[in-house]
Amino acid sequence: MHEVTLIPGDGIGPSIAESTRAVIEASGAKIEWEVHQAGMAGIDQFKDPLPKETLDSIARNKVALKGPLTTPVGMGFRSVNVALRKEFDLYINLRPAKSMEGVKSVFRDVDLVVFRENTEEFYSGIEHYIDSKRSAAETIGVVTRAGSDRIVRAAFDYAREHGRRKVTIVHKANIMKYTSGLFLDVGREVAKEFLDIQCDDRIIDNMAMQLVTHPQQFDIIVTTNLFGDILSDLCSGLVGGLGLAPGANIGYDAAIFEAVHGSAPDIAGKDLANPSAMILAGAMMLDHLHESRAAKLVRDSISAVLKEGKKLTRDLSPERSVGTKEFTQNVLATMELMSRN
Ligand SMILES: NC(=O)c1ccc[n+]([C@@H]2O[C@H](COP(=O)([O-])OP(=O)(O)OC[C@H]3O[C@@H](n4cnc5c(N)ncnc54)[C@H](O)[C@@H]3O)[C@@H](O)[C@H]2O)c1
C-alpha cells in the first residue's frame, strides 16, 4: 500500500483530480490517499494557501499528486507551486512531450523530455520595487554552480537510464554572461562525464524557433527555470496542447506530480476539462512508486481512447466532444477491457 498526498487544487482541479483518482484506483495499484488543500481552497478552509497539514502530509508520504492551483497575478499570495518546490527542494521539473496517435497536431513524431531547473533564478522570489513610487522594480535571478550541476546531471542520468541519445543545453549566455554563462559552463563540464550521450547547446531564442519548425532534432532539453517554464508549454503545444502534458517535480526526499497546465478558470465547473494530463501525471507517479504495470495500463488506456477518437474533450475535438465525466468513464471502461485481455 502506498500512502500518497492528494491535493485537488482549484479551478478545474477538483474535477480532474476526481477523474485521476478513479483511474489510478482502477489501475490495480494500492493507494491510500490523504486529501489536503492548498491555494484558494487552503485559504477558504484554513486562511492559509499552504496549510501546515498539507506540508506535513507531503513530508510524511514523500509523494503527492497535485491539481492546479491559481496564483493571483501581481499582488496577493505568492505562487504555492513555487513555494512547494522550494519547501521540498524539488529541483527537477520533468516534462515529457510525446506525439500521440489520434491527436491532431502539426507534428506526428515528437518525443522530447524537458528538464527545467525548478528552484533558482527568476523564481527565487527575490524581487522588490526600488522606491515607494514604484518607479522601477528588480527581480534578482540567482544561478548557482551546485544548482546547475544537479539539474544537468539529472538530465544526463535520465538520458542514460532511458536509452536517449542527446541532451541539449538551452541558455542565453551571449547576453546573460554570468547567470546563463555559468549554467552553460557547468552543463558542458557535466557532459564530459557522459561521453556516451551526445551534447549540444542552443540560445533560447533560436531554440524556440527550431522547436516550432523542426522539433524532431531534439531529445532531452535541459535549461534554467524561466526558459524551462516557457519551453515546456511550447513543447506541450507541439503534441496536442496542455490537456495532454504531464509533469513531475522531483527532489532527493519528495516528489510532486501534476499537469503542466493551470487551473483554467475559463472552463472551471463546466465539465469541459481534459483530465488526461493529470491522469498521465498519475502514471508518472505510479512509475516513481515502481508500479510499472499499473502505469502502463493507465498510459495504454489513454492512448487507446485518444486513438479511437470518438469520445474526446472539447480541447481535442471542438466539433463533437464529451465532458470530463464521460471521457473518464470511457477511460475506465477501456482499462477494464484491457486488464481482462
Ligand atoms: N502547476 C500549477 O498549478 C499551475 C500551472 C500553470 C498555471 N497555473 C495557474 O493557473 C491559473 C490560470 O492560468 P492560465 O489561464 O495562464 O493557464 P491554464 O493552463 O490554466 O489555461 C490556459 C488555456 O488552456 C486551457 N486548458 C488548460 N488546461 C486544460 C485542460 N485540462 N483541458 C482543457 N483545456 C485546458 C484553458 O482553458 C485556457 O484556455 C493562473 O492562476 C496560473 O498561475 C497553475
Side-chain angles (χ1 to χ4, degrees):
M1 181 70 80
H2 307 282
E3 277 156 10
V4 170
T5 305
L6 177 65
I7 303 171
D10 53 56
I12 59 171
S15 140
I16 59 171
E18 192 184 316
S19 300
T20 303
R21 183 175 174 160
V23 171
I24 300 292
E25 281 172 3
S27 74
K30 297 273 172 285
I31 308 277
E32 196 170 302
W33 305 98
E34 275 185 23
V35 180
H36 285 281
Q37 305 302 340
M40 297 298 194
I43 292 191
D44 289 348
Q45 222 174 313
F46 300 99
K47 300 198 169 16
D48 184 352
L50 195 46
K52 186 172 177 306
E53 286 82 349
T54 306
L55 289 174
D56 289 347
S57 171
I58 301 171
R60 212 170 33 246
N61 296 330
K62 304 193 186 319
V63 179
L65 183 61
K66 190 184 78 58
L69 301 170
T70 301
T71 305
V73 174
M75 291 299 111
F77 61 83
R78 284 192 171 279
S79 167
V80 174
N81 298 309
V82 173
L84 280 171
R85 291 165 193 170
K86 285 183 86 172
E87 175 74 26
F88 294 102
D89 195 24
L90 307 174
Y91 67 97
I92 303 169
N93 190 258
L94 191 166
R95 295 176 170 184
K98 194 170 187 313
S99 303
M100 295 207 209
E101 231 182 303
V103 177
K104 280 190 199 125
S105 57
V106 182
F107 303 99
R108 305 217 148 273
D109 45 3
V110 175
D111 186 4
L112 294 168
V113 183
V114 180
F115 274 76
R116 159 189 172 195
E117 200 295 319
N118 218 10
T119 54
E120 298 196 331
E121 205 212 18
F122 296 114
Y123 291 56
S124 310
I126 313 169
E127 52 180 3
H128 54 250
Y129 293 108
I130 64 155
D131 58 21
S132 57
K133 289 190 214 139
R134 300 185 178 183
S135 41
E138 284 178 331
T139 298
I140 299 170
V142 179
V143 172
T144 67
R145 180 170 290 278
S148 305
D149 184 280
R150 64 182 183 172
I151 186 69
V152 177
R153 204 168 279 286
F156 275 98
D157 281 339
Y158 180 96
R160 202 173 256 176
E161 255 170 58
H162 292 82
R164 297 279 188 155
R165 63 192 152 83
K166 187 168 80 171
V167 173
T168 302
I169 304 166
V170 178
H171 62 90
K172 187 75 186 176
N174 52 331
I175 304 295
M176 300 192 297
K177 292 188 187 298
Y178 290 85
T179 47
S180 229
L182 177 62
F183 188 79
L184 178 59
D185 285 348
V186 172
R188 285 177 173 161
E189 277 166 35
V190 172
K192 289 183 193 152
E193 295 175 39
F194 293 84
L195 294 176
D196 49 324
I197 312 286
Q198 293 171 49
C199 176
D200 62 4
D201 62 84
R202 292 282 191 288
I203 293 172
I204 178 69
D205 33 349
N206 177 26
M207 183 69 183
M209 187 275 288
Q210 291 199 24
L211 269 173
V212 297
T213 52
H214 187 29
Q216 302 85 347
Q217 64 183 301
F218 300 110
D219 189 358
I220 307 268
I221 296 166
V222 63
T223 189
T224 42
N225 208 337
L226 177 61
F227 298 158
D229 194 3
I230 299 166
L231 284 190
S232 49
D233 268 35
L234 188 157
C235 290
S236 72
L238 296 175
V239 297
L242 283 171
L244 294 172
N249 302 282
I250 302 170
Y252 300 112
D253 296 324
I256 301 182
F257 298 83
E258 62 182 343
V260 168
H261 62 73
S263 55
D266 52 333
I267 57 167
K270 297 180 181 165
D271 194 38
L272 287 175
N274 182 355
S276 301
M278 190 168 173
I279 294 173
L280 292 170
M284 291 174 82
M285 180 191 82
L286 291 173
D287 275 332
H288 181 81
L289 295 170
H290 305 291
E291 293 279 359
S292 35
R293 250 180 84 177
K296 185 172 181 314
L297 178 61
V298 171
R299 277 196 198 99
D300 288 351
S301 307
I302 292 279
S303 296
V305 167
L306 296 175
K307 193 174 165 189
E308 189 193 40
K310 286 192 184 146
K311 290 185 175 177
L312 301 181
T313 45
R314 195 182 66 172
D315 54 316
L316 298 178
S317 169
E319 319 76 42
R320 203 162 49 90
S321 58
V322 298
T324 312
K325 289 196 177 79
E326 197 176 339
F327 178 88
T328 308
Q329 286 311 320
N330 196 22
V331 175
L332 289 168
T334 307
M335 282 178 93
E336 168 84 33
L337 273 177
M338 283 188 155
S339 52
R340 267 197 246 144
N341 294 330

